[in-house]
Amino acid sequence: MSIWVFFKLLGSLALLMFGMKSMSEALQKMAGPQLRHVLGAMTTNRFTGMLTGMLVTASVQSSTATTVMTVSFVNAGLLTLAQAISVIMGANIGTTLTAWIMSAGMSFDITSAIYPAFFIGIILIYLKKYRYIGDFLFGLSFLLLGLGTLRLTGSEMHLGENQALLDFFASFDPDSFLTTLVFLVLGGILTFCVQSSAAVMAITMILCSSGALPIYQGIALVMGENIGTTVTSNLAALSANTQARRAALAHMFFNVFGVIWILFVFRPFIDMVCGWVGYDVTMDKTAVESSVFLANAAKLSFVLAAFHTTFNVANTMILIWFIPQIEKLVCAVIKPKKVDEEEDFRLHFITAGFMKTPELSVLEAQKEIQSFSSRMQRMFNMVRDLLNLSSSERSKDKNSEEEFNKLYSRIEKYEGISDNMELEIANYLDSVSNAHLSDDTKAKIRAMLREISELESIGDACFNMARTISRKYNGKQDHFNEKQYEHIHQMMELTDQSLSQMNRLMGGRKESYDVNRTFNIEHEINNYRNQLKSQNISDINNHQYTYAVGTIYMDLINECEKLGDYVVNVVEARMGTRQKEV
């Protein structure tokens, strides 16, 4: 084989993989938000979950994308792990559509249809309104061009007449169980190395349809590819949270279990699939004419696609009844970490390497911002507790002082966490924004960058209040009087209501949120601050308390008012609105 043919083979595989990626991303841009809503709404039981996973994966042509969406829903509490497992089972069936597209590309000369598709695609891309359809056509055309080039390269190489290759495959005993295992492991390793099950499937189709690789070994490669693709997702999930690792393990268990039971009925099962397609397993190359043998071998790409689909459907039909048991198994194997995740800075949703598509990365970042938002409200509640500790009658005994210092240290740690979260999420969104994104997603990223900036400001405001309380606690100033404490608590209650409204918006759908609730609370906070400011001057003049105590008191009131402004800014960024001037 010349070096030119070898590079042609590699180039056509690269075209195939690029086409697959482009097509999948274009489909997700077209249907991403709607598919996410479908995933959330249609998984009422294991069967609808399986059908949903199948339809969504067939629509976006990426089982990884479906799995990622599913795991993010589990983390958000929209799906149980059991429902997620049923969706992943459906995703395994949906992804077999790729094999059928490839088998069609291998069996027919589709190059003549590719060039008009490229031409229509570029027109649609320049029309802007239909550019995602154009991106999809380009991706599909690249995929089919890669397949067509691969098929022609395979025939140029005359693999069926390459004696060295034939001798290599002939050195394996076709009736030996060990041979099946060797090709199974080989398929897994190849998929893991190439990071594309589609590329390994294409190589297998070329080898089988040229007559070089016997069908049984070819199917063993396909089975190995099923395991290899789950190894990749499990490695990617190592840095992810507990639920993501459990979902990845359930995916691996599903495929490994399927391969194990198929090995017991290996030949009868393959013979049955070959019978459906009309492929003659017993045909000997030497006993028939070359044209008859090649016509029979041409059906092998369809045999591989049919096996892939039948295997996944049969496996799902068996395991769908045991989803609760699979859930218990993966929960027993992967236990949650015992560290206090509240105190441990770790991004729960966005992890390097796990997101393969930018559109889905934005969804994960939104979940991370939701987590950031709820963490800031917990930080504010710690500040309220700190105020209560500083005002208690036993505030200067040793135990209480230790409790005060411990809580202050926690608040200080949270302030550091908020700085880190802002930086990490911003860096992640920056890397996502380098990809080709829809206008809607670009606008979302701009809004999200504003959200995290304002959330970090909320953390700063909380820490400023904690420092003010600590300064008063450790200083020689008098306690606040009862009226001052009452006013501070009332102001903090309003601020907490504002934070609760913000978190309700961050955790739900903005279409169902009434933004006026936040604006009304903000007006109430502003009016109350103005009222207390005037009263404070009057109380100092009337010697109700010292000027120093009044200054600390107003610092806390003003910081609450600032925090309320930051909350409004977060809500406006999320809603894509601006508060009207009043």
Side-chain angles (χ1 to χ4, degrees):
M1 181 174 68
S2 70
I3 192 78
W4 167 246
V5 174
F6 176 71
F7 278 119
K8 199 174 175 185
L9 182 72
L10 288 179
S12 52
L13 277 173
L15 261 181
L16 170 84
M17 289 160 71
F18 176 75
M20 194 77 219
K21 184 176 180 291
S22 302
M23 187 174 79
S24 175
E25 285 184 3
L27 283 163
Q28 286 172 57
K29 284 175 191 173
M30 280 193 283
Q34 289 80 1
L35 290 174
R36 289 200 284 276
H37 296 154
V38 166
L39 256 183
M42 281 183 61
T43 49
T44 49
N45 60 55
R46 65 185 81 180
F47 296 103
T48 55
M50 183 264 291
L51 281 170
T52 305
M54 186 172 79
L55 292 170
V56 169
T57 306
S59 301
V60 298
Q61 280 299 288
S62 171
S63 57
T64 304
T66 308
T67 305
V68 167
M69 277 194 277
T70 306
V71 169
S72 69
F73 280 149
V74 174
N75 286 317
L78 299 173
L79 290 180
T80 64
L81 183 60
Q83 287 172 322
I85 292 168
S86 69
V87 173
I88 289 166
M89 286 180 177
N92 270 293
I93 298 172
T95 197
T96 62
L97 180 64
T98 309
W100 286 103
I101 293 170
M102 290 170 70
S103 63
M106 287 287 181
S107 304
F108 308 109
D109 182 14
I110 32 73
T111 46
S112 53
I114 289 167
Y115 300 105
F118 272 128
F119 178 67
I120 295 165
I122 199 70
I123 292 172
L124 292 173
I125 286 168
Y126 278 108
L127 283 174
K128 290 232 168 176
K129 188 181 176 183
Y130 303 103
R131 67 183 177 281
Y132 303 139
I133 300 171
D135 285 342
F136 166 74
L137 276 177
F138 254 67
L140 182 62
S141 300
F142 275 124
L143 169 69
L144 295 175
L145 182 62
L147 283 169
T149 313
L150 204 59
R151 184 173 68 89
L152 291 171
T153 309
S155 60
E156 274 177 36
M157 289 160 68
H158 303 292
L159 294 172
E161 296 160 25
N162 187 318
Q163 202 55 45
L165 193 65
L166 292 170
D167 290 344
F168 171 73
F169 289 128
S171 66
F172 295 96
D173 181 3
D175 300 318
S176 169
F177 182 69
L178 184 64
T179 300
T180 305
L181 288 180
V182 167
F183 278 86
L184 184 74
V185 172
L186 187 64
I189 293 169
L190 269 174
T191 307
F192 177 70
C193 293
V194 179
Q195 292 282 297
S196 170
S197 55
V200 178
M201 176 67 89
I203 292 165
T204 310
M205 284 180 175
I206 285 286
L207 288 169
C208 286
S209 56
S210 65
L213 181 66
I215 184 62
Y216 297 112
Q217 280 92 309
I219 282 179
L221 278 176
V222 172
M223 285 160 62
E225 167 227 304
N226 269 284
I227 295 174
T229 194
T230 62
V231 171
T232 307
S233 60
N234 270 273
L235 286 174
L238 282 178
S239 58
N241 55 32
T242 304
Q243 294 289 42
R245 287 182 292 128
R246 283 173 177 169
L249 182 64
H251 192 194
M252 180 181 255
F253 173 81
F254 175 84
N255 282 9
V256 170
F257 177 83
V259 166
I260 290 168
W261 74 257
I262 277 287
L263 287 173
F264 285 103
V265 290
F266 189 61
R267 286 188 174 252
F269 192 87
I270 294 168
D271 291 344
M272 176 186 74
V273 173
C274 289
W276 291 345
V277 176
Y279 172 75
D280 186 356
V281 188
T282 59
M283 187 178 290
D284 186 9
K285 190 175 184 178
T286 55
V288 293
E289 288 180 26
S290 177
S291 58
V292 176
F293 178 80
L294 288 173
N296 190 48
K299 296 175 184 173
L300 277 169
S301 57
F302 285 107
V303 172
L304 289 167
F307 170 80
H308 201 205
T309 303
T310 311
F311 163 71
N312 281 295
V313 169
N315 203 24
T316 301
M317 290 302 103
I318 294 167
L319 287 178
I320 200 164
W321 307 102
F322 299 100
I323 286 175
Q325 288 76 13
I326 296 170
E327 183 183 21
K328 282 178 188 170
L329 175 69
V330 295
C331 288
V333 173
I334 298 175
K335 291 183 170 64
K337 291 179 182 175
K338 291 188 178 177
V339 295
D340 183 359
E341 291 192 358
E342 294 287 314
E343 304 298 308
D344 174 39
F345 169 62
R346 186 167 62 84
L347 296 180
H348 296 258
F349 299 93
I350 57 180
T351 48
F354 197 57
M355 302 302 113
K356 286 199 175 179
T357 52
E359 299 288 328
L360 289 171
S361 301
V362 173
L363 174 69
E364 296 305 293
Q366 187 59 58
K367 296 283 187 291
E368 202 65 69
I369 294 170
Q370 186 184 328
S371 167
F372 189 2
S373 175
S374 57
R375 198 185 282 255
M376 289 304 95
Q377 186 167 14
R378 286 195 293 275
M379 185 180 179
F380 179 74
N381 285 323
M382 285 181 208
V383 174
R384 295 178 77 177
D385 292 340
L386 194 74
L387 179 69
N388 291 333
L389 278 174
S390 72
S391 65
S392 66
E393 289 180 10
R394 61 182 187 88
S395 65
K396 284 295 178 183
D397 69 39
K398 192 176 178 183
N399 287 342
S400 184
E401 200 168 331
E402 195 177 304
E403 200 177 332
F404 181 93
N405 290 332
K406 192 175 175 184
L407 185 56
Y408 180 78
S409 294
R410 276 188 80 192
I411 294 168
E412 192 172 22
K413 189 172 183 180
Y414 261 60
E415 204 276 330
I417 287 171
S418 74
D419 290 346
N420 286 333
M421 286 191 84
E422 181 196 18
L423 194 63
E424 291 292 327
I425 297 170
N427 287 341
Y428 183 79
L429 288 171
D430 185 50
S431 65
V432 170
S433 64
N434 291 330
H436 298 293
L437 299 168
S438 61
D439 290 339
D440 182 44
T441 304
K442 284 176 187 171
K444 272 184 197 168
I445 287 178
R446 286 194 295 272
M448 287 157 85
L449 286 167
R450 186 182 170 207
E451 285 167 30
I452 58 172
S453 172
E454 299 295 342
L455 285 169
E456 194 275 332
S457 296
I458 291 173
D460 288 344
C462 290
F463 187 52
N464 288 340
M465 280 190 268
R467 278 195 302 194
T468 302
I469 294 165
S470 177
R471 192 170 75 242
K472 180 187 162 300
Y473 181 79
N474 294 313
K476 293 180 180 177
Q477 285 90 358
D478 297 330
H479 278 306
F480 294 136
N481 63 32
E482 271 188 40
K483 213 180 249 184
Q484 282 176 309
Y485 274 122
E486 191 183 317
H487 293 155
I488 294 168
H489 284 306
Q490 200 167 337
M491 180 60 109
M492 283 188 165
E493 180 56 37
L494 283 171
T495 310
D496 191 51
Q497 284 177 27
S498 182
L499 285 163
S500 295
Q501 287 297 324
M502 176 186 79
N503 278 312
R504 181 187 290 180
L505 168 64
M506 300 303 273
R509 289 181 67 178
K510 62 182 182 182
E511 292 82 6
S512 59
Y513 182 77
D514 182 7
V515 75
N516 289 320
R517 291 176 187 171
T518 295
F519 293 155
N520 290 341
I521 295 171
E522 169 61 9
H523 290 318
E524 208 173 325
I525 289 171
N526 288 344
N527 293 336
Y528 195 46
R529 190 273 315 265
N530 294 338
Q531 180 191 327
L532 294 178
K533 193 176 180 181
S534 302
Q535 194 175 334
N536 179 58
I537 294 166
S538 173
D539 287 347
I540 290 170
N541 289 335
N542 294 330
H543 306 290
Q544 299 275 340
Y545 43 79
T546 65
Y547 183 81
V549 169
T551 303
I552 292 172
Y553 164 65
M554 280 314 295
D555 280 349
L556 290 173
I557 297 296
N558 285 327
E559 211 61 59
C560 280
E561 191 277 328
K562 275 189 209 169
L563 200 153
D565 289 341
Y566 299 139
V567 168
V568 169
N569 292 342
V570 172
V571 170
E572 284 178 348
R574 180 87 174 92
M575 296 292 291
T577 58
R578 287 266 177 197
Q579 186 174 0
K580 289 175 186 172
E581 294 295 325
V582 288

